[in-house]
Amino acid sequence: RPDRLGFREVRARFAEYAVDQCQPACHIHTVGTRKLLQQHREAVGGGLGRVGDAGERGPAEDVWSAVDVLGAPRIDNGVSAADDPGLTERLAAEQIPLTMCPLSNMRLQVFPDLRDHNLKILLDAGVRVTVNSDDPSYFGDYITENLLGSAQALDLSKSAVLQLAQNSFAASFVTDDRKQELIDELHHVSAKAE
């Protein structure tokens, strides 16, 4: 109907609103698509961190677009990156983080079982993978449940879990000095726990 906005128009207007409403500490969360490139550039011009949300339900090409077209230094989800060896190699070489949400991936049937998740494959390939929660009020799982569930289902070693935690600090939008402080503290706490 002519009086209704189409999905693309609503999405573009929402992106503009998100840019207008973000505080300086926020990051703009955009879908890896050329349609939002202008809003993404405005957000970056305003000093916001760049994140491309790509590759959860779409192909690896969406992750390529988020990296190459948007210039996103961090990709939310990105599980389809494992389908493209060249992309996996690039993500590892450039240390572009993939912020994965394994339990919501399972609930959305991206992976039918958590044991099928490709997080460990990407981590073993040297990709800077992190474990996160995705809309915990909707999915009911926070970071702790995602990390513990992944560690158990994928039989992750202690060093792999430690690497995931370190990756999360490295992928954050805090200053480099603060990242290093957090990583140092993580290793200190880990060493004391042994």
Side-chain angles (χ1 to χ4, degrees):
R1 293 177 28 194
D3 61 331
R4 298 183 131 189
L5 293 175
F7 174 73
R8 290 187 179 109
E9 188 174 348
V10 170
R11 185 172 64 185
R13 286 188 182 182
F14 177 77
E16 290 171 11
Y17 175 80
V19 170
D20 290 342
Q21 298 302 311
C22 275
Q23 299 299 317
C26 295
H27 69 275
I28 187 68
H29 184 92
T30 61
V31 178
T33 176
R34 295 176 194 271
K35 298 274 186 200
L36 295 177
L37 187 56
Q38 182 59 39
Q39 289 86 5
H40 194 268
R41 286 183 179 145
E42 289 172 13
V44 171
L48 300 177
R50 296 169 292 160
V51 176
D53 188 338
E56 181 177 30
R57 299 183 71 91
E61 177 59 33
D62 291 350
V63 179
W64 278 109
S65 292
V67 172
D68 290 334
V69 177
L70 293 179
R74 186 173 91 189
I75 305 298
D76 282 353
N77 296 303
V79 296
S80 67
D83 298 339
D84 183 329
L87 177 58
T88 299
E89 187 175 302
R90 179 168 176 200
L91 294 172
E94 295 181 23
Q95 288 297 280
I96 298 171
L98 298 181
T99 62
M100 296 187 166
C101 307
L103 293 176
S104 71
N105 291 157
M106 185 182 67
R107 285 183 176 71
L108 293 170
Q109 293 297 298
V110 176
F111 298 98
D113 189 287
L114 198 52
R115 293 174 293 197
D116 300 325
H117 202 285
N118 63 10
L119 179 154
K120 186 175 189 304
I121 293 166
L122 288 161
L123 187 65
D124 289 346
V127 176
R128 183 174 277 171
V129 175
T130 70
V131 171
N132 305 274
S133 59
D134 185 8
D135 298 320
S137 60
Y138 180 76
F139 290 109
D141 299 306
Y142 291 84
I143 292 174
T144 302
E145 291 86 2
N146 274 273
L147 187 57
L148 292 175
S150 298
Q152 182 177 24
L154 300 173
D155 195 30
L156 298 177
S157 66
K158 179 183 172 190
S159 65
V161 173
L162 187 62
Q163 185 64 55
L164 288 168
Q166 181 173 319
N167 288 349
S168 69
F169 294 128
S172 71
F173 287 117
V174 298
T175 66
D176 288 343
D177 288 342
R178 182 65 178 140
K179 287 178 189 183
Q180 192 57 56
E181 288 172 12
L182 292 167
I183 291 168
D184 291 345
E185 185 176 342
L186 173 68
H187 287 289
H188 176 74
V189 169
S190 177
K192 283 177 69 173
E194 290 182 354

